[in-house]
Amino acid sequence: MTPLAGRFLLDTNIVIALLEGDDTVLFNLDRAPEVFIPAIALGELFFGAAKSGRPSENAAKIERFAAGRAIVTCDLDVAREYGRLKLRLKERGRPLPENDIWIAAMAKCHGMVLVTRDRHFQEVEDLQTADWAVQL
């Protein structure tokens, strides 16, 4: 996939990098034509904010980030893909964290490239991934 082509779904670790002002991730975000945020990732971020030393400030930061962004939620098609994906991973003895299975299902179901720094997503067949640790 060419750097400027595609629809990108951002994993939680990439959103964290954005919120922390990671220059390389910000550069790639600016060049990506379509960017989506999984609702699951936002849930993980709000959990992190709630257990932090500054829950209100961190939650407000997430709210500002999410405002106006395209958020992908779970629907019937994503749920079906989740079920198939979880079974394949279990049969191969390659479990992933539950939330990551949902995020992978969203990316696969919607034909998106998952932007992540987690290598365990390589266990998911036919999932396109990208690592924005380097400039595209």
Side-chain angles (χ1 to χ4, degrees), residues 4 22 61:
L4 295 176
D22 182 303
K61 192 175 187 180

Side-chain angles (χ1 to χ4, degrees), residues 64-78:
R64 285 190 303 274
F65 172 79
R69 303 249 183 214
I71 298 172
V72 179
T73 59
C74 183
D75 60 16
L76 188 58
D77 292 331
V78 171

